[in-house]
Structures are given as structure tokens and as C-alpha cells.
Amino acid sequence: QVQLVESGGGLVQPGGSLRLSCAVSGSIFRIVAMGWYRQAPGNQRELVASLPTGGGTRYADSVKGRFTISRDYAKNTGYLQMNSLKPEDTAVYYCNAQVLRAGQFSPSDYWGQGTRVTVSS
């Protein structure tokens, strides 16, 4: 099995920063791609940032220039550095990983349990 555990959420004032972490563990052969999504109350889950299979990074327009996605390959951990936070960034943030397990020929999708981010004064 594969587990994703997020951490780093919390309450922060507008203009503040938070760093989310996503630790991936289990029977991992290779993490093919990682991403962060968020879901605010009453809204659909949306992509925030990703490290896609082909390389590079993708960001939602609303977070470009403020958020940075990264990954520590040795630790199987992904990060989302969030700066200049705004009240509209308030949401539950979910980590997603596409993981190729030993003996499999195609990766499977896995999700973390979510970590809540609240931006408020």
C-alpha cells in the first residue's frame, strides 16, 4: 500500500506564509508525479500546483508568483511553499501522487487526507 500524509496547515494572517509537506510512504517503486489541490467550502476541488510526469511545474493562475511546489526525491516528500497568502486561499489542501509500485506497469493515483489552511486576520 501507499500512504500520503500532509502536514503544515494552520491559521495564518493575510500576507503570511505556510509550508505544506506531503510524505509518501509504502511500497513505492517510483513517484511519477505529484501535485497539490485544494477545496474550499461549496467549491470543487481545484489544482493548485503540480510536478507533472513530463517535468516542469504547473500553477493555477491564482497562485502564480506566490506559491512554489518542490520535491525531495530522496525523502519521497513533496512541498508547497505558500507566500503572500490571501483570505481566498482558505481551503483544505490535498496532496496527490501518481505512484508506480513494484510489479505494476502503470502508476496509480493516491491522495492524502488533507490539511486545512485558514487565512484570516
Side-chain angles (χ1 to χ4, degrees):
Q1 266 293 7
V2 174
Q3 299 82 38
L4 276 64
V5 178
E6 300 115 330
S7 60
L11 173 64
V12 63
Q13 292 187 342
S17 298
L18 283 175
R19 188 195 197 202
L20 306 183
S21 298
C22 174
V24 186
S25 62
S27 56
I28 303 165
F29 179 72
R30 186 165 63 94
I31 299 174
V32 174
M34 292 189 75
W36 289 92
Y37 291 72
R38 68 186 180 187
Q39 187 167 18
N43 290 357
Q44 290 186 332
R45 190 173 297 189
E46 62 175 357
L47 175 68
V48 176
S50 69
L51 298 166
T53 305
T57 55
R58 285 181 57 193
Y59 294 96
D61 288 342
S62 59
V63 307
K64 283 180 181 176
R66 300 188 297 122
F67 290 11
T68 303
I69 188 172
S70 63
R71 178 180 161 182
D72 186 326
Y73 287 80
K75 296 181 179 179
N76 285 334
T77 300
Y79 303 97
L80 184 68
Q81 177 67 43
M82 305 186 295
N83 299 328
S84 302
L85 282 161
K86 304 175 181 180
E88 50 264 43
D89 295 318
T90 295
V92 177
Y93 285 70
Y94 297 90
C95 177
N96 170 266
Q98 296 176 29
V99 179
L100 185 64
R101 298 173 61 186
Q104 290 185 331
F105 295 98
S106 60
S108 299
D109 229 20
Y110 296 91
W111 292 89
Q113 80 287 352
T115 185
R116 185 174 300 276
V117 172
T118 302
V119 185
S120 175
S121 55

